[in-house]
Amino acid sequence: GVLGAEVVMLTVFMIAAGRIGEPVALDSHRTGFFVTASAATLAMGFQNAALRRTPDTAVHTTFVTGMLTELSVAVVRWILNAQRGRESEAIRSRQIASVALIIWSAYLLGAITGAWLVSRHGIWTLSLPIALLLSLIPSLLQPAAPSPR
């Protein structure tokens, strides 16, 4: 349901921004600014609520600094635990750092790709991540398989 709400907000943002057809600014498009800013903000909030944790670490899917903090803390813990001979804790810290690095790398790749797509094809390229989210929803609605005993 949360991802469905995100899809709705992303769609509202895309349509509103696409209809205006130029960068939306408070001084020139007051209503458009509030519609697009609200829709984008709500979409980010829904995204952040959809995934909050992996088994080992907190996940921040909408702000880069949160994952950079997770990455930095995990790397420092990894180094310190390795130096102190705490092998299992060092391995766990390395795993957490790996998850944070993968997520942060996905941010970077997404930012570069998204900026390139929008500069070439306009705001309507947002339909690609909307379609991806829509394709994920049915699999997330499936009941979880019972755990083996």
Side-chain angles (χ1 to χ4, degrees):
V2 173
L3 290 181
E6 179 184 3
V7 165
V8 169
M9 289 299 104
L10 287 173
T11 303
V12 167
F13 172 81
M14 181 179 65
I15 291 170
R19 289 185 55 109
I20 293 169
E22 61 183 75
V24 181
L26 180 59
D27 59 345
S28 61
H29 298 286
R30 186 173 297 271
T31 301
F33 174 82
F34 285 109
V35 169
T36 56
S38 297
T41 303
L42 285 168
M44 287 176 56
F46 290 133
Q47 173 63 39
N48 211 36
L51 177 62
R52 305 222 13 146
R53 292 198 63 77
T54 64
D56 292 322
T57 188
V59 174
H60 310 284
T61 59
T62 59
F63 56 101
V64 173
T65 55
M67 289 316 300
L68 284 176
T69 301
E70 289 289 326
L71 176 59
S72 300
V73 168
V75 167
V76 168
R77 286 185 177 156
W78 175 17
I79 292 167
L80 291 176
N81 286 323
Q83 287 176 344
R84 295 174 182 160
R86 299 177 184 158
E87 189 62 31
S88 64
E89 290 154 359
I91 290 170
R92 183 172 183 277
S93 296
R94 185 182 71 220
Q95 291 168 337
I96 292 169
S98 297
V99 169
L101 181 60
I102 289 167
I103 293 170
W104 194 86
S105 298
Y107 285 160
L108 182 61
L109 180 61
I112 292 168
T113 304
W116 182 81
L117 284 170
V118 169
S119 72
R120 298 283 190 263
H121 305 290
I123 193 68
W124 303 106
T125 58
L126 191 54
S127 59
L128 295 172
I130 290 171
L132 179 63
L133 283 170
L134 282 171
S135 73
L136 291 174
I137 291 172
S139 65
L140 295 173
L141 293 175
Q142 298 296 321
S147 60
R149 292 184 186 226

